[in-house]
Amino acid sequence: MAADMDTRGAAARRDLAVRAAVEQGLVGDAEGAEPLVCLLDTAGIRASAAALTAAFAAALAPGTPVLHAFAVKAAPLVPVLRLLAGAGLGCEVAGPGELELARAAGVEAERTVLDSPAKTAAELREALALGIAVNADNRQELERLDALVAAAPTRSPVGVRINPQTGAGTIDALSTATATSKFGIALRDPGARAWLVRAYLDRPWLTRLHIHSGSQGVPLPLIAEGVRELHALAEEINAAAGRRQVDTLDIGGGLPVNFASDEQTPTYAQYVAALRGAVPGLFDGSYGLVTEFGRSLLGKHGLVVARVEYTKTTGSRPIALTHAGVQLATRTVYAPAAWPLRILPYDAKGTPKDGDPVAQDIAGPACFAGDLLATARELPLLAPGDLIGVPDTGAYFFTAHYGYNSLPRPPIHGFTVTPEGGVRFALARPAQSLAEIVAEAGGALRDALL
């Protein structure tokens, strides 16, 4: 019942925000309004963070150290990282850019984790100097860390990422525990397990183990199987060492998001229940925990709002030409079967639009035929000036802009609904100006190649 109320509340906040965005001139046909804006529901983000921390707190033995590190790649926006930090979350970063965003948001080094399959020596050196946790991806990186740790002792917790080789989910590109995945040290390759145990015994400063079996499309039982393999390896290493050398397990993230409806499922509570069933020892206080969730914290709380600029009929198929397309929903445009999105119709005033459903294409502004958010989607017939809402886009969609056709990055606003039903917007990222596009394209170097 509580989940149903949360879902209805989120949908109601969304509709209020769309109408308010039109009334306040953020989007629509009014002079100065943008044809495209992106919105983040701050109450929804806070609720997801609270659900995550509560689910683990309820299951863990009292006093167990736990760090929930938000995967910055999912929404690389400093105000978002700051909001999550205020909710008690740290950051998982995958390169120097993401690390700089986390630092700009004020996230402490001890609440930051560095993961990447291609860390440079300079990146590793900086992380170790700052005291940031590091997960080594491969044997060569571990050898590089040998030299760095010997040269300058560090307070950074250091671990190794393993690939349990437990198999793929429904989206191959997001399944990182396959037999040939590029990530981590393959646990089932001949001799790999024994090598890993020896590597820990030879390096007393290795105190963590890391896993991330994948993301969207990976079912909970497969994620739990990978974590079970991680826990078993930690137990084996500690038994061989005769002490508790591995003290923290970084279990990654990967909770899938439901794109079919407003229902938020699976939940963090369901995720924890799956882990407790598969790996009960994970929760007995023997190990500290780190998680690295991204999409599940932000995905359901983002909304694209785009103006319908023109409509046409081609081959008897109605087509709505909008300002939202591949620059925001890159994965959907190139792999629509794996990344389907809902389309919510609104009229020019921002009110949900009613009417008999008509199969129509929802097209974006890019100059290639495949720039479609939806094909033959049954919706009330759209008209110029109407708006479309594209929900569930708060992670990996409009926060990771694709610059095809030099389409500008749209503005992103966080919104809060007041107890009286009013809506307050706060700019989280400004719209990219045409001058900024030119500058990024080498405008100041116009004659460099003459």
Side-chain angles (χ1 to χ4, degrees):
M1 182 64 71
D4 290 341
M5 292 180 66
D6 289 345
T7 297
R8 290 197 299 270
R13 291 196 303 271
R14 180 180 63 213
D15 288 347
L16 286 172
V18 173
R19 186 170 69 246
V22 174
E23 293 172 350
Q24 296 181 36
L26 300 185
V27 67
D29 282 326
E31 184 176 351
E34 297 279 354
L36 171 67
V37 298
C38 305
L39 305 179
L40 287 169
D41 179 358
T42 57
I45 295 170
R46 287 191 178 94
S48 283
L52 168 61
T53 55
F56 276 86
L60 286 168
T64 301
V66 58
L67 170 64
H68 298 294
F70 173 68
V72 174
K73 64 182 74 67
L77 299 167
V78 171
V80 166
L81 306 185
R82 186 70 168 170
L83 174 64
L84 290 171
L89 274 60
C91 284
E92 183 268 338
V93 301
E98 291 183 3
L99 174 56
E100 207 57 27
L101 295 179
R103 296 179 71 183
V107 177
E108 302 91 341
E110 59 269 22
R111 300 186 64 76
T112 304
V113 180
L114 174 63
D115 297 319
S116 167
K119 307 178 198 73
T120 67
E123 290 170 36
L124 290 169
R125 190 177 297 110
E126 179 185 25
L128 295 177
L130 292 171
I132 289 169
V134 175
N135 289 315
D137 177 81
N138 54 71
R139 299 189 188 198
Q140 292 170 3
E141 184 180 348
L142 197 53
E143 292 169 359
R144 182 173 282 177
L145 283 165
D146 284 337
L148 292 172
V149 170
T154 177
R155 68 181 189 279
S156 291
V158 182
V160 175
R161 177 171 182 168
I162 67 162
N163 170 12
Q165 296 174 295
T166 45
T170 59
I171 304 175
D172 285 343
L174 288 162
S175 298
T176 56
T178 60
T180 58
S181 171
K182 75 176 190 179
F183 290 102
I185 293 177
L187 193 58
R188 298 180 183 178
D189 280 10
R193 192 180 193 99
W195 181 89
L196 268 168
V197 174
R198 184 74 255 169
Y200 272 76
L201 297 183
D202 291 343
R203 298 167 175 85
W205 43 268
L206 282 178
T207 60
R208 291 188 173 188
L209 276 170
H210 175 227
I211 192 175
H212 178 71
S213 293
S215 187
Q216 191 68 18
V218 179
L220 294 188
L222 197 59
I223 295 173
E225 183 182 352
V227 175
R228 183 171 63 239
E229 293 286 341
L230 186 79
H231 181 267
L233 179 60
E235 295 281 273
E236 183 176 344
I237 291 169
N238 287 346
R243 64 186 181 88
R244 189 169 169 267
Q245 178 174 341
V246 176
D247 60 22
T248 300
L249 300 180
D250 184 334
I251 63 174
L255 187 69
V257 167
N258 165 37
F259 287 95
S261 73
D262 284 330
E263 185 181 3
Q264 296 187 38
T265 183
T267 66
Y268 290 116
Q270 290 168 336
Y271 175 86
V272 168
L275 290 182
R276 292 184 76 173
V279 204
L282 189 69
F283 297 90
D284 66 6
S286 299
Y287 297 96
L289 288 185
V290 177
T291 70
E292 299 173 352
F293 293 101
R295 179 180 289 107
S296 57
L297 283 163
L298 262 292
K300 299 298 287 185
H301 311 305
L303 178 72
V304 171
V305 184
R307 189 173 70 210
V308 177
E309 198 65 40
Y310 301 108
T311 56
K312 62 168 71 172
T313 300
T314 300
S316 74
R317 173 73 59 77
I319 303 171
L321 298 165
T322 81
H323 291 272
V326 70
Q327 82 276 36
L328 307 180
T330 313
R331 289 173 170 174
T332 296
V333 168
Y334 286 119
W339 296 99
L341 286 171
R342 293 179 291 148
I343 305 295
L344 307 176
Y346 295 88
D347 64 22
K349 295 182 178 179
T351 302
K353 186 166 184 171
D354 295 322
D356 294 333
V358 176
Q360 55 201 295
D361 291 352
I362 309 301
C367 287
F368 73 99
D371 186 24
L372 299 167
L373 295 183
T375 302
R377 188 66 58 86
E378 297 275 347
L379 298 167
L381 190 62
L382 294 167
D386 284 345
L387 301 168
I388 61 162
V390 190
D392 309 329
T393 46
Y396 297 106
F397 281 91
F398 59 70
T399 57
H401 187 79
Y402 175 45
Y404 191 87
N405 284 153
S406 294
L407 292 166
R409 290 189 294 268
I412 299 175
H413 300 266
F415 71 86
T416 303
V417 177
T418 69
E420 298 75 29
V423 179
R424 293 196 301 264
F425 293 99
L427 185 65
R429 187 185 73 188
Q432 185 182 28
S433 70
L434 298 182
E436 288 170 328
I437 292 176
V438 172
E440 287 186 5
L445 305 171
R446 182 178 66 175
D447 297 330
L449 304 182
L450 296 182

